[in-house]
Amino acid sequence: MEARIVVLPGDGIGPEVVAAALAVLPAVAARYGHTFETEEHLIGGGAIDACGTALPDETRRACLQADAVLLGAVGGPQWDDPAAPVRPEQGLLAIRQAMGLFANLRPVRPHPDLLAASPLRPERLQGVDLLVVRELTGGIYFGTPRERRTVNGEIQAVDTLVYSQSEIRRVSHVAFQAARQRRGKVTSVDKANVLESSRLWRQTVNEVAAEYPGVVLEHVLVDAAAMHLLTRPASFDVIVTENMFGDILTDEASVLAGSMGNLPSASLGETRNRHGFPRGLYEPIHGSAPDIAGRGIANPIGTILSLALLLRHSLGLEGEARAVEAAVAQTLAAGYRTADLAANGQKPLNTQEIEAVIVSHLG
Ligand code: IPM
Ligand code: MN
């Protein structure tokens, strides 16, 4: 297999965790006889500084021609001025939209040796293995109007939560198809007791469910879902929800896996790469962590597991994906921890040290 991967390191710890994943790639190539070409491009704050825009045309073009895209993180305090005309996050939203990536898959499966790293009681975490399918190109992140205006002499701001049935339908299909490969249960999360968009969401998910008689569907309101994620996390299989609910609930769910630093994601749409697989964007769910950026101590596991998802979904390399996941699992089982995971008194590994251990398991 010859694959072209566009790499968008981004801001903060993005370049550090992406470098670790790029150290894993040659090990996979050598072991399985593949050729992976990588090409780096600017996105986010770095792109704003260099080109005045968070998603330069060159980056967009490269992503649309790649077999897959691996991204670190975007954002940082130096670009946070609320009055700034451009923001790093716009780059990420724009590339998701340009690539048509409407389904964001965020698997949460705590490693058995990391149960103590979570603030939840270990018995609550037994058997947790869930997949959040977050709608990624609609809802309040993209709806218009989105503006400030003056009403009765004072400033007002408006965002718009809008969904079309086709948007709900296509992401629901992704969730039901995933559930068929898993434990056969979908939990649709909405706020149908208040929001019209959620009532359409619920109705549409019900219609799609009729095409999947083998899958059990439950509807849970988002406030209750936030609670159930902590009180009965093992009861979930596939969760499907709109863009902002999914953003919030997956940060919460990452607590189940011991650290946000561990969680990968895959964003997929309908377009295919030249190998016939979805042209996806793969990124850890964490942000740019400006507080630790530049110190070389970030946990690269979320990005390395995102690379595994890239191998699986965009290149069809299931065995290779499993090998990377196994290398991470073996590293954790052997007791190696980055600072975010280390127990009191344990000396943590830095980014390059844990990367080296993971790579050694791929030899
Ligand atoms: C995420 C992030 C992004 C989002 C931000 C950086 C725009 O929080 O991927 O979860 O909200 O989608
Ligand atoms: Mn988020």
Side-chain angles (χ1 to χ4, degrees), residues 7-317:
V7 179
L8 308 176
D11 308 316
I13 60 168
E16 300 166 41
V17 292
V18 161
L22 291 185
V24 167
L25 203 52
V28 175
R31 177 164 159 186
Y32 294 92
H34 302 305
T35 308
F36 300 124
E37 273 174 45
T38 60
E39 187 185 307
E40 282 194 18
H41 287 275
L42 291 170
I43 193 168
I48 292 175
D49 291 348
C51 326
T53 165
L55 182 67
D57 284 342
E58 197 186 306
T59 303
R60 179 194 308 256
R61 246 194 319 269
C63 291
L64 293 173
Q65 285 164 9
D67 292 323
V69 181
L70 182 70
L71 181 137
V74 297
Q78 61 268 56
W79 302 286
D80 262 354
D81 178 2
V86 280
R87 302 178 54 83
E89 291 78 6
Q90 290 168 345
L92 185 52
L93 300 187
I95 193 61
R96 289 171 177 169
Q97 192 175 43
M99 295 176 71
L101 306 173
F102 60 82
N104 179 220
L105 313 187
R106 297 186 163 187
V108 181
R109 198 172 41 223
H111 186 281
D113 294 328
L114 285 184
L115 299 193
S118 170
L120 291 200
R121 287 206 295 271
E123 62 269 26
R124 289 263 161 93
L125 299 169
Q126 290 299 339
V128 170
D129 178 1
L130 61 90
L131 172 70
V132 179
V133 179
R134 170 190 175 193
E135 201 291 325
L136 202 61
T137 52
I140 200 161
Y141 273 47
F142 291 92
T144 54
R146 176 179 47 215
E147 64 192 18
R148 286 187 181 207
R149 56 202 185 194
T150 302
V151 175
N152 296 333
E154 71 166 337
I155 302 176
Q156 194 179 65
V158 60
D159 294 285
T160 302
L161 203 183
V162 55
Y163 270 108
S164 309
Q165 269 201 300
S166 58
E167 293 177 296
I168 304 167
R169 220 176 270 129
R170 64 188 182 179
V171 75
S172 300
H173 279 291
V174 172
F176 282 97
Q177 279 160 20
R180 267 210 303 227
Q181 308 295 318
R182 296 171 48 100
R183 301 196 306 282
K185 180 179 175 189
V186 169
T187 303
S188 174
V189 173
D190 63 36
K191 188 70 184 173
N193 54 346
V194 177
L195 300 177
E196 195 56 44
S197 58
S198 279
R199 286 189 281 273
L200 182 65
W201 182 279
R202 197 175 276 219
Q203 175 192 331
T204 308
V205 172
N206 278 332
E207 286 166 17
V208 172
E211 297 176 44
Y212 299 86
V215 177
V216 175
L217 169 65
E218 70 174 356
H219 298 282
V220 178
L221 296 172
V222 63
D223 47 356
M227 179 178 65
H228 295 328
L229 269 175
L230 303 182
T231 56
R232 54 168 180 91
S235 73
F236 294 107
D237 180 14
V238 176
I239 295 174
V240 63
T241 191
E242 67 94 36
N243 203 341
M244 188 164 70
F245 294 163
D247 179 44
I248 296 169
L249 292 179
T250 49
D251 266 35
E252 187 192 8
S254 76
V255 168
L256 307 168
S259 165
M260 274 194 93
N262 288 334
L263 284 207
S265 87
S267 302
L268 306 173
E270 262 142 25
T271 64
R272 307 256 149 185
N273 60 30
R274 67 204 159 104
H275 301 291
F277 297 107
R279 175 181 291 117
L281 170 74
Y282 299 84
E283 52 177 319
I285 82 152
H286 63 70
S288 58
D291 51 325
I292 59 160
R295 291 170 55 196
I297 61 167
N299 177 358
I301 288 178
T303 312
I304 292 172
L305 293 176
S306 297
L307 177 66
L309 295 178
L310 183 159
L311 296 169
R312 170 174 297 128
H313 294 290
S314 281
L315 302 179
L317 301 175

